């Protein structure tokens, strides 16, 4: 069974732009990848810009994104506040990640 996650980036407005991640959402996998390969504001923003992900890899080119032509609504979500981002519940999400203030953080959801 895959571990689902949501990753978000806090924008200059304070809003959070986020996307769904289908696989490998555990901190030892996704958390490590985010910290090692997406640890700048530009890289974090680019990761959420293209929509929902199936897999997060070491480069954007290697990442697998959902494809709208296959019937997926892969648009990023926009949350008005950080609190709204954390409070939004999805039944299968186990971890939420956020890039803000120059670093990635995560929370375990529904454990």
């Amino acid at each position: 069974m895959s571990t689902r996650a949501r990753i978000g980036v806090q924008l200059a407005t304070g809003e959070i732009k986020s996307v769904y991640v289908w696989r490998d959402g555990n901190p030892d996998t996704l958390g490590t990848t985010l910290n090692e390969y997406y640890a700048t504001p530009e890289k974090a923003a680019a990761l959420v810009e293209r929509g929902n992900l199936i897999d997060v890899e070491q480069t954007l080119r290697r990442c697998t994104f959902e494809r709208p032509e296959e019937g997926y609504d892969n648009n990023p979500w926009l949350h008005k506040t950080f609190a709204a981002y954390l409070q939004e519940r999805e039944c299968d999400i186990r971890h939420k990640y956020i890039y803000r203030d120059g670093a990635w953080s995560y929370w375990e959801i529904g454990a």
Side-chain angles (χ1 to χ4, degrees):
M1 186 157 103
S2 296
T3 303
R4 313 283 199 246
R6 181 163 286 280
I7 57 174
V9 174
Q10 189 166 40
L11 307 174
T13 62
E15 296 172 309
I16 310 296
K17 185 182 276 191
S18 74
V19 294
Y20 187 87
V21 180
W22 284 92
R23 290 195 286 238
D24 296 331
N26 286 315
D28 60 341
T29 306
L30 181 57
T32 299
T33 300
L34 293 173
N35 280 307
E36 288 184 11
Y37 302 103
Y38 297 94
T40 67
E42 297 81 14
K43 288 182 179 182
L47 184 61
V48 300
E49 192 61 38
R50 292 180 54 189
N52 294 337
L53 292 131
I54 297 170
D55 291 304
V56 178
E57 300 293 341
Q58 296 173 357
T59 65
L60 283 176
R61 176 177 273 176
R62 294 182 62 199
C63 289
T64 307
F65 292 87
E66 285 183 346
R67 297 190 319 201
E69 63 270 16
E70 293 178 352
Y72 294 105
D73 176 12
N74 72 332
N75 293 317
W77 289 6
L78 195 60
H79 311 268
K80 294 290 183 190
T81 65
F82 175 65
Y85 173 68
L86 286 182
Q87 291 170 358
E88 176 106 35
R89 294 290 181 235
E90 297 170 83
C91 65
D92 58 351
I93 295 289
R94 291 302 308 268
H95 299 91
K96 284 194 175 182
Y97 298 82
I98 187 165
Y99 186 85
R100 67 180 187 154
D101 300 325
W104 286 102
S105 302
Y106 79 93
W107 290 261
E108 190 166 346
I109 306 296

